[in-house]
Amino acid sequence: AAARRLAAESAARPFDLERGPLLRASLVRLGDDESLLLFAMHHVVGDGWSTGVLVREVSALYRAFARGEPSPLPELPVQYGDYAVWQRSWLTDEVLEGELAFWREAMAGAPPLLELPLDRPRPPVPDPRGARVALHVPAEVGEGVRELCRAEAATPFMVLLAAWQLLLARYSGDEDVVVGTPVAGRTRTELEGLIGLFVNTLPLRADLAGRPSFRELLRRSRRATLAAFAHQDLPFERLVDELGVERSLAHAPLFQALFVFEGAAQEAPLLGEVRVEAWDGGGEGAKFDLALEATDADGRLTGALAYRTALFHAATAERAAAHFAALLAAAVAAPGASAWELPLLGRAEREALVSGWNDTALRHAEAGSVHALFEAQAARTPDAVALVAGSERVTYAELDRRASSLAVRLRGLGVGPEVRVGVCTERAPEMVVAVLAALKAGGAYLPLDPAYPPERLRFLVEDAEARVVLTTAALRGRVPGAVERVLVEEAAPHGADGASHPALPESLAYVVHTSGSTGTPKGVMVEHRALANLLLGTRALFGFGPGDVVPSLASHAFDIWGFEVLGPLLAGATVRLVPAERVTDPAALAEEAAHATALHAVPALMRQVAASGPPAEGLRWVFTGGDTVPPELPGELRERFPGAEVAVLYGPTEGTVVASAYRVPAGEPATGHPIGSPLPNVRLYVCDRGMEPAPLGVPGELLIGGAGVARGYLGRPDLTAEKFVPDPFSGADGPGARLYRTGDRVRRRADGVLEFLGRTDAQVKVRGFRIEPGEVEAALAAHPSVREAVVAAREDAPGARRLVAYVT
């Protein structure tokens, strides 16, 4: 232990570059017949090759001096100073410009930073501490490497480099990857016996665009390697300066990953009769984030993966070494396969990612259509209050009867399976009556927010081919087009019951339009089985039941309305329908929270709730989602509502409202954007470009499978085929099972929790929307996540006739 401490201290002690010495030697006595010889050399006077020269010369001198003989070392033909003078005089004018021209073209547009999946935030100044894990390459894989070399006129260096670049591309998701590699720089025989800094570092750039096979990637790597080695004389420091690379103390310029390849291992030194062996107890350093060190000796490929301990856990490095070995084995076994689709996971790891974290099967005690489930709840608690709107209270029995009465009228108008029924009402009991009536009639509801501009309402009705629109007398004129308008008031509170249509699980329940990432509204079709699974799954997960009071803040044009309203109604809870003007009033929101046991709001709204009024002591659950949740918000909510559990909800419309939930642990530090684990009967996969499961911690696209997957886009078979793809992972759903490609970039943490990172299609996306005069209040209700910005803009320019908001 003392020797290790002395060695670490010797390695860490700074050098004085003005006075020297730049080589330190220490002898540590371990016992009567065992000693430890330590050399510490600054890189400015020596490189890896120099170490071998140093050891050989010390060995020769020791043997000679032990016998009383003079130095056997011959005079050097040149000194390092001679080489430095020659290099400076040679690397000028045309030679220099030729080297620079090559590297400018080779590195044009190269990414400045390799976005590796780090376990810890990158410190502002690199931490030099490092460690390494062994790399295991089976003998048959090594032979496969040599066979591929013979077939492609390549070298083991090129094959291993291509595999390393591919692994880094798979980890980062980038098609453009730059890896550094050291070159000895001793291009003349006179330099081979010198101790000095001859080594140079070359950036080797990999092009993985166009989904190449590994064989094609190897050919690209071969061409890039040969060209780089032909222009290796330009010092790396000069290259960085000439390229005008933006320098950062946080990471190395041009590349942050290294590839080191050694041929035959150096022979152990001989010190006369003294037996010598290498010692690795002096601690590790790491000059780069990751470094793959490979050796080809005695027909065997061996090596290690070095890493910075400030960035990566040991378990992550061990997985990376195993992934490289698996990827290399797959590449040499099938070099014609797509490089992005080559497997890099072991069987156990793949099983955990595909099945282990997706073990969400839950058999619901109830089954059937959404309206049948509501009818069953109404029969259990007929006198319980289902809806509260101002001073109006509606019981479960009354709500059921009114919806049934209106459903009879709809069936008389031809409403049945797959028929879309528009619902254009204010936030009042009539809205819930209309939705349930459309379902009871066997149709599907189409939410139409009366705050929308007439042209958008017309588009939604025409796109969905709605035959009938349910509305109120006050809003009858808002509904455009030649459609049958039915007033919800015509459903008498005590009208005759009407038998519901026995909808099938695959029957359409609703169509909701979303612009998503394309900017073009598209109707998402959700079936009863998907909606019922959401409502029953969240009821089981969060324990909703009689006695719960849930305010509904969202417009019914947003699919989260189903979670806020239909979910509690299937559990026997009471829903408070909050008018749009109260949603924009922080004091009113705080008052609503004070009467609630569960509350959901988008992050901007929830922050206002937390900042206004006294804590709501009756809250059991606080939910937020629908937008990126600021890292600090869950902690603020826990502190504000200490008696409530806080959960972050995530889910695109195509995944039926909510696909995952994250219960925020007490005292968790505010970092990242965790979105949790899949809901019951929902499966979530993180896949790379090749649709292969991404390893733990590695970013990829999130795909949703299981019961939450929507049917597709209304009237858009091309887009449906693009975004809803066959499920290759699970046979539980039978033939035809599909996955929805969210376009969201996520990664799975070591504890299985998913973390949202952004979008796969763009790191920054800007969307603009225009708010016409007289429609500002409607915009506030429709876009609550930008409410603060809109309000601020109105205050800054109260006389503006038009307000344009940009959302990133």
Side-chain angles (χ1 to χ4, degrees), residues 479-499:
V479 180
V483 294
E484 184 75 28
R485 297 168 179 82
V486 176
L487 302 183
V488 183
E489 295 97 319
E490 296 177 0
H494 305 291
D497 292 343

Side-chain angles (χ1 to χ4, degrees), residues 472-535:
T472 60
L475 295 173
R476 190 168 189 169
R478 292 286 295 164
V479 180
V483 294
E484 184 75 28
R485 297 168 179 82
V486 176
L487 302 183
V488 183
E489 295 97 319
E490 296 177 0
H494 305 291
D497 292 343
S500 296
H501 187 284
L504 298 173
E506 60 270 20
S507 296
L508 190 64
Y510 67 84
V511 174
V512 64
H513 283 76
T514 173
S515 60
S517 59
T518 65
T520 303
K522 51 188 182 293
V524 179
M525 300 182 289
V526 176
E527 298 172 344
H528 274 270
R529 57 185 165 193
L531 182 56
N533 181 75
L534 166 78
L535 303 179

Side-chain angles (χ1 to χ4, degrees), residues 452-784:
Y452 283 166
E455 58 271 19
R456 180 171 175 86
L457 290 175
R458 181 185 299 276
F459 171 84
L460 298 181
V461 170
E462 293 177 352
D463 185 67
E465 298 178 342
R467 301 180 185 180
V468 180
V469 173
L470 295 172
T471 187
T472 60
L475 295 173
R476 190 168 189 169
R478 292 286 295 164
V479 180
V483 294
E484 184 75 28
R485 297 168 179 82
V486 176
L487 302 183
V488 183
E489 295 97 319
E490 296 177 0
H494 305 291
D497 292 343
S500 296
H501 187 284
L504 298 173
E506 60 270 20
S507 296
L508 190 64
Y510 67 84
V511 174
V512 64
H513 283 76
T514 173
S515 60
S517 59
T518 65
T520 303
K522 51 188 182 293
V524 179
M525 300 182 289
V526 176
E527 298 172 344
H528 274 270
R529 57 185 165 193
L531 182 56
N533 181 75
L534 166 78
L535 303 179
L536 295 176
T538 51
R539 184 179 73 180
L541 194 61
F542 303 125
F544 294 143
D548 277 318
V549 179
V550 184
S552 174
L553 308 183
S555 162
H556 73 307
F558 295 99
D559 61 345
I560 195 65
W561 181 89
F563 172 78
E564 292 184 353
V565 176
L566 297 179
L569 290 179
L570 262 59
T574 298
V575 176
R576 294 176 60 89
L577 300 173
V578 182
E581 60 271 15
R582 285 180 64 83
V583 173
T584 59
D585 183 349
L589 284 179
E591 183 180 341
E592 292 293 342
H595 294 90
T597 61
L599 178 67
H600 170 271
V602 295
L605 270 183
M606 191 58 79
R607 177 157 274 164
Q608 294 185 28
V609 173
S612 304
E617 296 180 356
L619 275 178
R620 294 193 307 110
W621 279 101
V622 175
F623 303 103
T624 188
D627 202 349
T628 303
V629 178
E632 67 279 2
L633 179 58
E636 293 175 0
L637 294 175
R638 267 200 165 279
E639 183 176 346
R640 183 65 173 171
F641 308 115
E645 286 217 53
V646 177
V648 175
L649 305 182
Y650 163 86
T653 303
E654 295 85 346
T656 310
V657 190
V658 179
S660 70
Y662 179 64
R663 296 191 183 196
V664 180
E668 182 177 69
T671 58
H673 304 284
I675 57 175
S677 303
L679 262 60
N681 300 317
V682 175
R683 295 188 295 276
L684 301 178
Y685 304 99
V686 185
C687 295
D688 60 18
R689 289 170 179 257
M691 287 293 287
E692 283 291 310
L696 284 178
V698 175
E701 182 182 5
L702 179 63
L703 283 81
I704 301 176
V709 179
R711 181 189 294 180
Y713 298 114
L714 181 64
R716 301 287 299 275
D718 52 341
L719 187 60
T720 298
E722 175 188 339
K723 301 293 287 185
F724 294 83
V725 297
D727 182 352
F729 303 121
S730 174
D733 297 334
R738 299 168 308 146
L739 301 175
Y740 170 66
R741 301 189 62 169
T742 66
D744 287 334
R745 191 166 180 260
V746 302
R747 70 173 184 170
R748 193 182 296 277
R749 301 188 323 200
D751 59 0
V753 170
L754 293 168
E755 187 175 10
F756 177 79
L757 303 174
R759 292 287 297 173
T760 60
D761 51 5
Q763 292 301 314
V764 178
K765 176 163 293 201
V766 178
R767 295 200 309 271
F769 62 87
R770 181 171 293 166
I771 303 173
E772 299 295 342
E775 295 179 350
V776 173
E777 295 303 326
L780 292 178
H783 303 281

